[in-house]
Amino acid sequence: MGLMDQVELPQPVKYVFNWGRKYSLWCFNFGLACCAIEFIAASTSRHDFIRHGVIPFAHGPRQADLLVVSGTLTDKMAPAVKRLYEEMPEPKYVISFGSCANCGGPYWDSYSVTKGVDQIIPVDVYVPGCPPRPEALLDGIIALQHRIQNESLKDRIAGRRQDPITLGADAPLALEEGA
Amino acid sequence: MSDVLARRDRALSPEETEELLRDRLGDGLQRTVLEYGVFTVWVEQDAWVQAATLCRDEPLLAYDMFDNLFGIDAREEGFDVVAVLYSTSTGNRIALRTRCAGGRDEPTCPSITDIYRGADWMERETWDMFGVDFPGHPQIGPRILTVENFEGWPLRKDFHLASRAAKPWPGVKEPAELDEDGNVIERVPHIGDAPGPYDLDKAMAEQAQAMNPRPELDGPEDDDDADDEPAEVEAGPDDDPTVSGAEKAEARRKAQAEARAKKAAERAGGDGDEGAAQLDQDVYDQLIAEGKSERIARSKAKAAYIKAQRAKEGDA
């Protein structure tokens, strides 16, 4: 990426650049449990997140921009998530989809479940629910796109991340970041 | 081969199977149980391998498919190991069960991987979850289900869940909740008890409640106050040590009924402007006169009021 982590793009270029990035999120679905079914439902014709520019056919983590962790992450699986996340090129985004991925959910006291994917990788958007409806995923994707549109790529590539968005708990989308 | 391919109509009944096994195993067979359609044979630890071999090789039994193998925590007595076998020719299923030697400290059970190769990973999982060692197993470690540096045996009854030690169960109701006297509190869910968050849900729940009056056991039920009730009646006759449990319970019930009645009266008087405004007073009075409970009368009167409002709106 060369200079991109040192030089801020001029505003018009940045706008167009971010606009392009936010509508071509190649998505890598880490489906671990029932939430993955909701993810699939969100990708099919009724909800169809492809119309938002989310492309669920990344060939692997190296071709992906967005990692959706949907389902129960166990301690046994955690190293695999960590590794695949690290294989993704910057700038990369993570949506934690469902209660299990957020905090362990109903398995909060389990001996084998990681209590939240944010313990191993940084998360951009938390989508609560058990499982969340496909609409909730769409909401999370739109929140993420909103963030991408307004973010500084320089900061992102330098590894400076903004605080994660929690759907339902944070300010409504329209109020956030002065849109 | 013709021996193995027995016909299903020649399958042995549980009684015949027991007879055959007793004949071959002698005292190695402890007892048999036929429960929930599962025929379980308890065998001595020493006869475990012999029993599995017999089940596989005996032409009349021909349990040629190894189904699964797992452990059971038998509390003080140690651990049990159960192997479930299936016969593809006769269609019979059998569960062999044995108690591990070594008690709780070092439970061991001979491996049956020589007889059924499929037992390999099952025994590894049983070792992983219960700590039961299987002498004769080709390679019991490393841990197969849990992470490799995991400590403890998670399916043992005495395994402590770290999260629970730090934080109590956050759910509202334990499966078997006990009151102060140690009696199980029975909670019967009623129709319309838990409406959804929307107005439509609440209206539907109310309608459903009105159509399905709950059976009155002792005084009017009042669910929304259930949580703060025990605090109110604590100063009651509970403190008297001479009173027996049954009398105590009776007294508490009375005190609760009084508290509820008081609360209901307060509510009827207190938030009258809101509550009364949404009631059809004629219907309410009529139902009370008929001897219906206050709760039912309220909900029916409310339903009548809403109906009347709707009709009015429709006219307008």
Side-chain angles (χ1 to χ4, degrees):
Chain A
M1 283 290 213
L3 287 176
M4 285 197 101
D5 56 344
Q6 294 158 36
V7 183
E8 190 73 73
L9 290 171
Q11 182 60 30
V13 181
K14 186 173 122 181
Y15 180 87
V16 174
F17 197 85
N18 282 345
W19 177 80
R21 283 200 309 128
K22 82 170 179 178
Y23 286 131
S24 65
L25 287 170
W26 287 78
C27 173
F28 183 57
N29 176 26
F30 213 102
L32 294 167
C34 38
C35 286
I37 306 299
E38 301 296 319
F39 178 94
I40 295 164
S43 74
T44 52
S45 50
R46 179 179 285 265
H47 301 286
D48 188 17
F49 60 38
I50 304 179
R51 70 201 153 106
H52 293 296
V54 178
I55 307 155
F57 309 119
H59 302 97
R62 289 173 203 278
Q63 283 79 30
D65 308 296
L66 169 63
L67 176 67
V68 178
V69 182
S70 45
T72 316
L73 180 67
T74 54
D75 293 341
K76 195 87 165 176
M77 196 62 172
V81 174
K82 175 85 174 157
R83 177 176 175 165
L84 291 174
Y85 174 76
E86 283 172 354
E87 284 181 4
M88 289 167 65
E90 284 282 1
K92 53 193 172 187
Y93 303 90
V94 177
I95 291 180
S96 166
F97 185 66
S99 289
C100 291
N102 291 344
C103 63
Y107 309 106
W108 67 280
D109 58 352
S110 167
Y111 59 88
S112 62
V113 173
T114 308
K115 312 300 184 300
V117 68
D118 53 2
Q119 294 191 356
I120 51 168
I121 58 177
V123 172
D124 290 281
V125 180
Y126 294 97
V127 180
C130 186
R133 288 186 62 91
E135 292 94 320
L137 180 59
L138 296 183
D139 211 6
I141 286 167
I142 289 168
L144 181 68
Q145 287 175 337
H146 184 74
R147 167 161 290 186
I148 293 172
Q149 176 68 71
N150 293 300
E151 91 181 341
S152 151
L153 194 59
K154 174 185 146 210
D155 285 353
R156 188 77 196 192
I157 289 176
R160 286 189 286 277
R161 293 169 192 281
Q162 297 170 42
D163 289 339
I165 303 167
T166 305
L167 286 190
D170 291 337
L173 195 55
L175 299 176
E176 201 197 54
E177 291 159 17
Chain B
M1 282 307 277
S2 58
D3 280 343
V4 177
L5 291 173
R7 296 206 331 252
R8 295 210 170 205
D9 54 8
R10 279 201 225 134
L12 296 189
S13 70
E15 292 76 24
E16 289 164 339
T17 308
E18 184 187 351
E19 205 174 311
L20 180 69
L21 286 173
R22 199 177 285 286
D23 180 50
R24 302 296 161 86
L25 295 173
D27 290 340
L29 188 147
Q30 292 171 333
R31 60 196 166 93
T32 62
V33 186
L34 181 58
E35 267 178 355
Y36 308 111
V38 179
F39 181 55
T40 306
V41 178
W42 285 75
V43 296
E44 293 282 352
Q45 173 90 92
D46 301 334
W48 175 247
V49 175
Q50 196 196 344
T53 314
L54 197 62
C55 285
R56 185 190 64 174
D57 294 340
E58 183 64 48
L60 284 169
L61 299 174
Y63 288 106
D64 50 351
M65 190 178 127
F66 176 79
D67 194 338
N68 61 59
L69 183 143
F70 52 90
I72 294 173
D73 189 330
R75 306 265 183 187
E76 307 79 64
E77 280 121 65
F79 297 90
D80 293 350
V81 170
V82 183
V84 181
L85 311 173
Y86 180 74
S87 169
T88 52
S89 52
T90 64
N92 275 350
R93 195 180 296 274
I94 193 171
L96 300 176
R97 183 165 176 173
T98 185
R99 178 136 302 157
C100 293
R104 283 199 81 79
D105 302 326
E106 284 179 5
T108 55
C109 175
S111 173
I112 55 168
T113 44
D114 291 342
I115 304 149
Y116 294 105
R117 281 300 291 152
D120 187 340
W121 277 31
M122 302 285 182
E123 288 181 355
R124 285 184 67 183
E125 289 172 11
T126 307
W127 169 75
D128 197 359
M129 291 288 127
F130 293 93
V132 176
D133 195 16
F134 288 89
H137 189 280
Q139 191 190 359
I140 202 86
R143 303 193 79 143
I144 185 170
L145 291 173
T146 54
V147 287
E148 284 178 20
N149 57 357
F150 193 89
E151 285 177 15
W153 312 108
L155 286 195
R156 287 190 180 187
K157 296 280 184 195
D158 50 10
F159 180 80
H160 288 287
L161 296 170
S163 309
R164 287 229 185 179
K167 186 179 161 191
W169 171 249
V172 184
K173 306 281 182 280
E174 277 282 5
E177 209 179 348
L178 305 180
D179 65 5
E180 301 94 277
D181 298 336
N183 303 315
V184 175
I185 300 173
E186 285 184 25
R187 295 180 195 277
V188 187
H190 285 283
I191 295 171
D193 268 356
Y198 304 108
D199 289 343
L200 180 64
D201 296 338
K202 283 173 189 153
M204 283 171 71
E206 241 165 58
Q207 206 175 359
Q209 273 175 347
M211 286 169 71
N212 300 283
R214 61 179 57 195
E216 306 258 334
L217 298 173
D218 44 348
E221 283 291 324
D222 212 350
D223 280 332
D224 30 350
D225 300 326
D227 291 335
D228 44 346
E229 263 166 20
E232 287 182 3
V233 296
E234 232 167 31
D238 288 0
D239 307 328
D240 192 347
T242 57
V243 181
S244 78
E247 283 169 333
K248 253 189 195 173
E250 183 61 29
R252 183 178 307 114
R253 208 171 292 143
K254 266 186 193 156
Q256 281 183 353
E258 276 170 24
R260 275 197 216 108
K262 205 170 129 194
K263 212 158 215 183
E266 266 174 24
R267 191 194 296 151
D271 52 12
D273 18 330
E274 198 213 349
Q278 296 180 351
L279 285 185
D280 190 323
Q281 199 60 40
D282 295 340
V283 177
Y284 181 75
D285 292 342
Q286 190 193 335
L287 285 167
I288 291 291
E290 281 172 17
K292 291 272 161 52
S293 84
E294 199 248 0
R295 185 193 170 96
I296 290 171
R298 274 177 76 87
S299 65
K300 284 202 168 163
K302 220 171 204 176
Y305 175 80
I306 291 168
K307 210 171 164 188
Q309 283 299 102
R310 294 239 173 93
K312 224 183 274 175
E313 280 167 21
D315 291 343

